[in-house]
Amino acid sequence: MTIKDIPEEWEVRATATPFVGNKTSVRTDDVVMPDGSVARRDYQVHPGSVAVLALDDQDRAVVLRQYRHPVRHKLWEIPAGLLDVPGENPLHAAQRELYEEAHVKAEDWRVLTDVYTTPGGCSEAVRIFLARELAEAEGERFEVEDEEADMELARVPVGELVRGVLAGELHNNCLVVGVLALIAARGGDGLDALRPAEAPWPARPFES
């Protein structure tokens, strides 16, 4: 048996958008269940995101610590950001985020994995990239604001991140998924066997 997610869309009898925010909104759908009954489902509509596990030549990952108000924590994370423009090439967005948040560029890019962060209540899809062959970016650093103004930046050995994930000390989903996917890829066919950086992404179709 092949284990693979498949697209499917159940009938929606009615839909409403009771809240529209700056970047996301909340939608309410009346969805027809398999037995013919109708159930109401509320969920956050999200444009999608990209994240970057950037590794230097000492096998350290670029990470940053940022305040996340909904969970009342400062979380260690990998560089990430929203797909602000519909149809935006996710590789270009990831390169931009790595530059803006870490002032770093990379020569080698691969797709590490694609995930839905919270499919029971949010439509967010995230593509996590692996970036290698790092160098400092040219030009002035990007000017940060709000929570990002308090951001801390570090390079942490992959082994220490794995330890922190399994010890329950690191909780950001992109960091957790990215680091564990990296270890799985190394233990499988190797990093060079990962999908190319512009591999199709049905969850968020884009133009090359």
Side-chain angles (χ1 to χ4, degrees), residues 170-182:
L170 299 172
H171 307 89
N172 174 263
N173 60 347
C174 290
L175 185 150
V176 171
V177 172
V179 166
L180 297 186
L182 173 71

Side-chain angles (χ1 to χ4, degrees), residues 41-92:
R41 294 290 179 261
D42 302 316
Y43 58 98
Q44 183 184 23
V45 179
H46 194 287
S49 306
V50 291
V52 186
L53 183 60
L55 294 182
D56 66 15
D57 57 6
Q58 299 179 51
D59 204 38
R60 300 177 303 176
V62 175
V63 293
L64 49 95
R65 185 158 63 176
Q66 185 173 346
Y67 177 65
R68 293 302 188 183
H69 186 70
V71 295
R72 308 305 200 269
H73 269 70
K74 272 191 170 182
L75 300 179
W76 283 106
E77 307 177 353
I78 57 177
L82 296 175
L83 289 169
D84 294 314
V85 181
E88 182 178 17
N89 187 309
L91 173 61
H92 299 166

Side-chain angles (χ1 to χ4, degrees), residues 87-163:
E88 182 178 17
N89 187 309
L91 173 61
H92 299 166
Q95 292 170 332
R96 180 186 68 238
E97 293 300 331
L98 186 61
Y99 166 76
E100 291 182 357
E101 295 191 345
H103 202 64
V104 167
K105 61 181 181 179
E107 293 298 323
D108 187 280
W109 290 82
R110 312 278 173 142
V111 174
L112 193 51
T113 190
D114 300 323
V115 295
Y116 291 114
T117 54
T118 48
C122 180
S123 67
E124 182 181 18
V126 179
R127 169 156 280 189
I128 304 177
F129 290 91
L130 173 67
R132 296 179 292 175
E133 300 179 22
L134 306 186
E136 291 297 315
E138 300 172 354
E140 296 183 3
R141 285 186 172 272
F142 182 77
E143 186 174 344
V144 296
E145 58 185 10
D146 301 328
E147 291 93 341
E148 292 183 352
D150 189 48
M151 205 162 54
E152 302 171 56
L153 194 64
R155 295 194 181 195
V156 179
V158 169
E160 176 61 18
L161 295 176
V162 173
R163 186 208 62 77

Side-chain angles (χ1 to χ4, degrees), residues 28-50:
T28 297
D29 288 343
D30 291 341
V31 186
V32 179
M33 297 290 108
D35 65 358
S37 63
V38 176
R40 179 156 293 179
R41 294 290 179 261
D42 302 316
Y43 58 98
Q44 183 184 23
V45 179
H46 194 287
S49 306
V50 291

